[in-house]
Amino acid sequence: MNKTLTKDEEKALLDAAQQVRENSYSPYSKFEVGAAVLAQDGRIFQGTNIENASYGLTVCAERNAIFAAVGAGERRLRALALVTQKLPGMAFNSPCGACRQVMSEFMPPDTPILIAVLDKQKRIVYRKTLRDLMPFPFDKFSEK
């Protein structure tokens, strides 16, 4: 599996995540998140965070994007992009533990993860791998 993204793939993935972020349902946190995953065949699947008054029922953008891809038959994903707003005192906002665990089910450790923050009119992108975010996963890709 090719782990590098072309500039066009990276831009398309980030643009898709930023666009779907506008559909966020986040009346409680006011924290809008958009995510997009790139499938092996080049298709992009999007997801946004959907909150609920019963906070435990909230689902993150990353999981919604992954679940959309899996629902369409994809099982191995090439990359994930995440777009959020800038929070004071933080360089970027990384996926939660639940999202990291779901990511590790469908992405090998060296999968590119693009984490972008919107700071005024600027999109600042941090490039990581799933291994950076979850160095000791409970997954089928781990070395035994």
Side-chain angles (χ1 to χ4, degrees):
M1 188 183 324
N2 181 4
K3 296 300 174 195
T4 59
L5 296 175
T6 67
K7 291 289 183 192
D8 288 343
E9 288 173 327
E10 186 174 297
K11 183 179 182 327
L13 201 56
L14 286 162
D15 287 349
Q18 187 167 338
Q19 180 270 324
V20 75
R21 181 178 172 269
E22 296 174 12
N23 298 334
S24 171
Y25 180 75
S26 49
Y28 308 104
S29 71
K30 309 287 190 247
F31 188 72
E32 298 173 343
V33 182
V37 292
L38 178 63
Q40 289 298 317
D41 65 4
R43 289 185 295 166
I44 292 175
F45 296 89
Q46 299 169 292
T48 190
N49 58 321
I50 301 171
E51 295 180 349
N52 189 278
S54 174
Y55 292 136
L57 300 179
T58 293
V59 181
C60 300
E62 301 92 311
R63 282 181 279 154
N64 278 328
I66 292 168
F67 295 161
V70 172
E74 292 297 329
R75 297 294 186 267
R76 297 284 299 263
L77 304 172
R78 284 190 53 214
L80 180 141
L82 173 66
V83 177
T84 68
Q85 69 252 35
K86 178 104 170 89
L87 290 178
M90 296 182 69
F92 61 89
N93 310 296
S94 65
C96 74
C99 287
R100 293 175 196 208
Q101 181 57 46
V102 170
M103 290 162 66
S104 72
E105 185 72 18
F106 300 102
M107 301 174 184
D110 55 349
T111 300
I113 308 296
L114 307 172
I115 302 172
V117 292
L118 302 175
D119 191 7
K120 299 180 178 65
Q121 302 292 49
K122 197 170 160 186
R123 182 166 72 189
I124 304 162
V125 180
Y126 297 85
R127 290 161 182 82
K128 304 291 180 188
T129 65
L130 182 53
R131 182 179 291 110
D132 294 331
L133 301 178
M134 193 162 181
F136 303 105
F138 182 80
D139 68 6
K140 62 186 175 190
F141 297 108
S142 298
E143 294 181 29
K144 307 292 183 231

